[in-house]
Amino acid sequence: MTTTLNDYIWANLYFMTKKILYSATALFTLFAVYVIYVTFINPKSPKDISQYVNEKSAINIEVVYSRPLKRDRLIFGDKKDKALVPYGEYWRLGANAATTFEVNTDINFGGKNINAGKYRLYAIPEKDHWSVVLNSEPDKFGYYEPNFNKDVLRVKVASALLLNSIEQFTIDFVEQDNLTALRMRWDKTSVSIPIEWWDFFLLKIFSKYLYFCLFLVDLPTLLFLKFSIDII
């Protein structure tokens, strides 16, 4: 009798555990499908690419980000006012995956030099300025804060007030005072970071010219050595 009762109890525990596992698996699958659908198939904040190409200097800059909509919400403001992007807090500069900034050559970004490469781009907005940061861990999900120890560059730029509201968050490149700038706009806020590369470009040209001059200067020596070796 005891054996039969124990078997009954264990059998019920087994089937209950099985049902719980099946239910948990089903819920997890539904959640995963929802995340994939919202993020990749039909995102509320669609993915976009902003690119700058200068053929003369062979420079290529690419920003990959997602574009959320305002939808009558308070975008920038104080946390107590339930702003979507509270002042003084990390913002991924978009939605979904982390925004990335990739450049194929060394440049000056907001007054500071960075090497060619791919970076995570994020910001900490304030009322009258933003801190814009490049981080060395680009391929991360943007919801979570980055590892701040991996920050490569941080610049402080003034924000400007727009007359007309921008419904969808937009990152683009513009020419300002013969300089290229990375511009970010949403609602009535605009921020621009100047980008320069001509110093690096001219330095490369000068280096090649210098090497060529050294080669010409040293050419007689090279010919003399070759002639000497041939005689020996």
Side-chain angles (χ1 to χ4, degrees), residues 158-170:
S159 57
L161 182 65
L162 300 173
L163 294 177
N164 299 315
S165 178
I166 304 296
E167 174 65 20
Q168 191 169 23
F169 177 56
T170 302

Side-chain angles (χ1 to χ4, degrees), residues 57-61 102-108 114-117 197 200-201 204:
S57 57
I59 186 173
N60 191 320
I61 306 174
E102 187 171 8
V103 60
N104 66 337
T105 188
D106 299 345
I107 61 170
N108 184 288
I114 59 166
N115 296 326
W197 66 89
F200 296 100
F201 179 62
K204 287 181 180 179

